[in-house]
Amino acid sequence: MKVAIIGAGAAGCFCAIILKRKYPETVVEVFEAGTRALAKVAITGGGRCNLTNSFQGIRNLAEAYPRGDKLMKRMFGIFDHNATMRWFEGEGVRLVTQADHCVFPASQDAMQIVNTLIRGMERCGVMLHTRHKAMRLSPIEGEAMRYEIAFMVDGKREAVRDFDKVVVTTGGSPKRSGLGFLDALGLEIADPIPSLFTFNINDPVTSLMGAVVEGASVRLGGTKFRSSGPLLITHWGMSGPAILKLSSYAARYLADNGYRATLLVNWLGEGHNEQTAQELVNSLIERNRHKQVSSVHPEVLTSRMWDYIIGKCKIPTDRRLSELSKKHINVLCATLTNDTYKIEGQSRFKDEFVTCGGVALSNINQNTLEAKKYPGLFFAGEVLDVDAITGGFNLQAAWSMGYVSAN
């Protein structure tokens, strides 16, 4: 049996190893459009490779997977994060779990994960072809359906090959045209759009570039989209886990609205409202009545952030806390818990790119990842309409789906 895997990313390479080890006599060939395999894995996690997550604190998979949570629940019933960690440790990769539940190789080097997978493919006889871009995938009707794939090789010549089974693991595509090689199949495609991006905000808050508020809570005005976590001020706006999660949850909404929306920031974090903010400010006043407003601040805020907030509230920094008027206190509490900013666009997050959209899940058997209309054709990884927030969840989806499609 001849099997083609289109795409040498995490899902494709993992699928190839599992498949070849389980069925050694099968001819397994991996085709990659780029110059090297696992290019994205090499840069993920800032070059350290956040390969999975402990999932502690995740009450519902929809918190980690805004699209595809029900599919991932089925995948995890077969191969979950614990199985992933056991597999890599079995390959000699020592892992560490951080306080934020992200799992990394102890070496803190993404190339250890890349090299482990490359060696795994080499040792079991998987053939890897780079500079092979899939241009057309077509079914060949017969007693048993087979598939013909046309490749552009080195950007110059076309090569046509046929296979008994095919696994498509091309990853996320920023444009629908990136899935054009599937056109002959007539599959339903969810329009690809960016996920995991930072917010462009033209506001004086950017003067605090580099400031981090560890437990901020953020939401989009007029919607139910919200998230929390560390928030980073940048020279172009806002970033950090809180913003990245919100961008993932609201990816479609933001795209539909031209990346223009109202961002509401609760600097004190979840569980706080204007009433609890009043209690906090009153407590500060009681303990520091004769001190200037700028000399003390809530523990959750840095002095730099506090100075910005009281300046935004037009409170004189040299005023004593005991001299604050009721109006000043009300404005301060409203700003602490419901600060408003205009989102005026989005920026790509570092070198990582995650796509919301792709091959719609309605096309596949969600237990096996096989196409409903095309026996022997499978899809795995981000090419499907499945994506996650930051924290190793996207790579875990790749390992799980790669394993399931191989089996």
Side-chain angles (χ1 to χ4, degrees):
M1 182 171 70
K2 295 193 302 178
V3 178
I5 297 176
I6 307 176
C13 292
F14 196 63
C15 174
I17 295 170
I18 301 301
L19 177 58
K20 187 67 174 175
R21 287 180 180 177
K22 185 165 186 174
Y23 305 105
E25 295 181 2
T26 298
V27 176
V28 180
E29 298 186 59
V30 180
F31 298 89
E32 168 59 37
T35 58
R36 58 195 176 101
L38 300 160
K40 188 173 177 181
V41 174
I43 62 172
T44 188
R48 297 188 299 136
C49 192
N50 181 189
L51 79 164
T52 189
N53 193 284
S54 71
F55 282 78
Q56 290 184 27
I58 299 295
R59 297 159 295 184
N60 185 309
L61 282 182
E63 295 177 11
Y65 297 95
R67 287 152 291 276
D69 61 302
K70 292 181 175 59
L71 172 67
M72 291 315 304
K73 185 175 182 179
R74 297 187 185 195
M75 298 296 101
F76 286 0
I78 302 170
F79 193 87
D80 64 4
H81 58 290
N82 291 314
T84 294
M85 289 189 278
R86 287 194 297 269
W87 191 89
F88 278 100
E89 287 170 339
E91 299 294 309
V93 179
R94 191 163 64 88
L95 303 175
V96 292
T97 304
Q98 297 185 163
D100 60 2
H101 314 308
C102 295
V103 179
F104 290 85
S107 65
Q108 300 291 295
D109 185 3
M111 289 310 297
Q112 184 180 16
I113 302 301
V114 171
N115 293 334
T116 295
L117 294 169
I118 294 292
R119 283 196 301 269
M121 290 193 292
E122 290 173 346
R123 287 172 179 169
C124 61
V126 172
M127 289 180 275
L128 172 63
H129 309 280
T130 57
R131 300 178 186 272
H132 278 63
K133 182 179 181 179
M135 304 301 292
R136 185 177 64 257
L137 172 60
S138 308
I140 303 172
E141 300 289 348
E143 188 173 326
M145 188 172 286
R146 301 175 72 250
Y147 295 90
E148 181 181 89
I149 310 173
F151 296 99
M152 182 64 69
V153 183
D154 291 325
K156 299 174 183 176
R157 59 187 176 86
E158 187 174 277
V160 179
R161 300 279 305 279
D162 61 274
F163 295 88
D164 300 295
K165 296 184 186 294
V166 176
V167 188
V168 178
T169 58
T170 48
S173 172
K175 296 180 180 179
R176 194 183 183 100
S177 58
L179 299 174
F181 71 99
L182 301 174
D183 285 351
L185 302 174
L187 300 173
E188 180 187 352
I189 304 292
D191 282 336
I193 57 170
S195 182
L196 293 185
F197 47 83
T198 63
F199 295 162
N200 294 343
I201 295 171
N202 183 16
D203 187 274
V205 72
T206 57
S207 66
L208 300 175
M209 179 183 64
V212 176
V213 178
E214 290 294 339
S217 175
V218 293
R219 60 192 175 93
L220 295 183
T223 77
K224 294 181 180 180
F225 298 116
R226 62 181 63 231
S227 70
S228 60
L231 186 153
L232 169 67
I233 307 297
T234 68
H235 68 274
W236 65 85
M238 294 186 186
S239 183
I243 296 298
L244 295 171
K245 283 194 288 184
L246 186 61
S247 78
S248 180
Y249 296 149
R252 288 257 172 236
Y253 172 85
L254 287 166
D256 290 344
N257 286 276
Y259 300 101
R260 298 292 190 274
T262 300
L263 177 69
L264 302 172
V265 181
N266 184 333
W267 297 110
L268 301 181
E270 283 188 341
H272 283 282
N273 53 32
E274 287 193 42
Q275 182 179 340
T276 61
Q278 287 265 4
E279 295 168 1
L280 178 64
V281 171
N282 287 336
S283 176
L284 277 179
I285 293 171
E286 284 299 315
R287 291 183 284 111
N288 305 277
R289 295 185 62 82
H290 302 297
K291 292 184 178 180
Q292 292 181 341
V293 177
S294 62
S295 66
V296 293
H297 56 85
E299 290 182 4
V300 296
L301 299 175
T302 64
S303 58
R304 193 171 165 218
M305 178 60 71
W306 178 247
D307 286 345
Y308 162 76
I309 290 173
I310 60 178
K312 188 171 186 176
C313 297
K314 295 182 169 52
I315 298 173
T317 56
D318 59 353
R319 181 157 298 181
R320 296 181 189 278
L321 281 161
S322 59
E323 297 172 347
L324 287 181
S325 67
K326 186 175 181 180
K327 181 179 178 181
H328 277 146
I329 293 174
N330 289 340
V331 172
L332 178 59
C333 292
T335 303
L336 284 170
T337 57
N338 210 37
D339 204 1
T340 303
Y341 298 90
K342 292 294 182 183
I343 299 171
E344 299 179 355
Q346 50 96 358
S347 294
R348 184 169 166 176
F349 176 58
K350 295 184 180 178
D351 292 319
E352 300 181 34
F353 189 91
V354 173
T355 300
C356 160
V359 175
L361 300 185
S362 58
N363 297 293
I364 64 168
N365 179 321
Q366 296 197 25
N367 292 312
T368 65
L369 303 181
E370 185 175 23
K372 292 175 181 177
K373 294 181 180 179
Y374 299 100
L377 174 62
F378 296 78
F379 293 88
E382 206 184 325
V383 69
L384 289 168
D385 187 15
V386 177
D387 64 284
I389 61 175
T390 56
F393 301 106
N394 282 295
L395 271 180
Q396 180 56 53
W399 312 132
S400 295
M401 287 192 270
Y403 184 92
V404 169
S405 57
N407 279 275

